[in-house]
Amino acid sequence: MIPFNKNRKSECEAFRALLSEYIDNTLSAHEAWEVEKHLTDCDACTTEVRMIKATVQLLHNAPRRDTSDTFMASLHARLDTVDPTIAGEQSLLGRLRSWFSIGMNSFAGGRGPALSLGVAVCALALLLIANRPAEPPIVATQPAPAVSDTVHISIAASAGSPFSDPAADNLELRAAGHSGRAPSSL
Amino acid sequence: MFALGNAMVADTALVQRAQANDRAAFNEIVLRYKSKVYNFIHRMIPSMQDAEDLTQETFVRAYLSIRSFQSRASLNTWLFRIATNLCIDYGRRTKKTQGLVTSLSQDAEDDDSESQRDIPDTDYDPQRLLLNKELGAQLERALRDLPEKLRTVVLLFDVEGLPYDEIAVIAGCPLGTVKSRLFNARAALREKLGPYLSGRSNDS
């Protein structure tokens, strides 16, 4: 048997992660061979395998119970009060909800409700943006500069100096001559 | 499979008949799966009475939505998925009110009522039977102490014998997560049952 040391410990930790699958025979042939090779000279992991096998055996043999004698009678009494044909014909909204719920559950693994809420908030935000008026009201007392004015000023400024930044020039022009105007949108 | 007359009727045939409002076929489905579903649920939640109610609820929901069942998963997987979701909802509800921690009185009540928990053993040995009874009680306690996600996987795999891929569908998680949860669940159980298992593991 190989004496226990630090390297040995980390090797055992790596193999122990595989022992559960080794017991279930779900490892690849190569992995199973590696585990068996390790077990031949590691008493600690061999004991671990025995313990996990005993645990699994215990679970396999766990006593089974059956429902009470009145189970079927009370179930049928409940089934008499419901109608699968009505329940089967869900509304379109109900179907969409259930599809959405199934999809979110399968992708999020239990985080569906939180993601659903997030998506719903995003959808609401998009809806609000889409329903905004095409031309928002201008709050300023003076009219906003026409787009064509701004373009002309930019072109004029850039024509004077082809290497200058029209946007910066435009800002300077605004600062000089158009400072009292309100933004065109809020 | 459940025998219907002399013929062994497949799940798919029963489902098709149940989808056509054949109540007798649905009855066969209940008889075939009620024990499996109940055994799973009663280990998932602490109350025996609630476990039976949730088992009924599982079949009521299955009855109501059997028409939408498309056989992409097996009937077994579908029923366990309904049951798992009901257990999760139950856990959330009870957590809000009283918590899911099993009380000592509940343990004592179950221990008293459960001679069925004995591990089957053909040899009559009073000392061994006593040990088995104690071991069975410890197992149930250790299972209840597991986090819900680990408990779901270990019950479905080691008690109900479902394959990894079906458990992944039921638990709504990737295959790798199922394997790691199973590993963690077994490690936790082995840790709790260690003192009881050491004698048994030498026997095997």
Side-chain angles (χ1 to χ4, degrees), chain A residues 10 28 31 34 57 62 78 84 86 89 91 97 101 103 109 115-116 119 145 148 153 158 162:
Chain A
S10 59
S28 68
E31 285 172 325
E34 289 277 5
Q57 193 62 34
R78 283 181 74 178
I86 294 172
E89 291 163 9
S91 66
R97 194 182 293 135
S101 161
L115 281 173
S116 303
V119 172
S148 58
I153 292 165
S158 61

Side-chain angles (χ1 to χ4, degrees), chain A residues 55-117:
Chain A
T55 306
V56 170
Q57 193 62 34
L58 202 61
L59 288 163
H60 285 174
N61 294 333
R64 301 190 71 84
R65 298 177 182 181
D66 207 347
T67 50
S68 68
D69 294 340
T70 57
F71 179 86
M72 290 304 285
S74 55
L75 174 65
H76 280 295
R78 283 181 74 178
L79 294 181
D80 285 343
T81 63
V82 295
D83 186 349
T85 54
I86 294 172
E89 291 163 9
Q90 279 187 344
S91 66
L92 181 62
L93 188 64
R95 278 188 219 167
L96 283 173
R97 194 182 293 135
S98 61
W99 290 342
F100 186 71
S101 161
I102 289 165
M104 294 310 284
N105 280 340
S106 57
F107 283 108
R111 293 188 297 275
L115 281 173
S116 303
L117 184 66

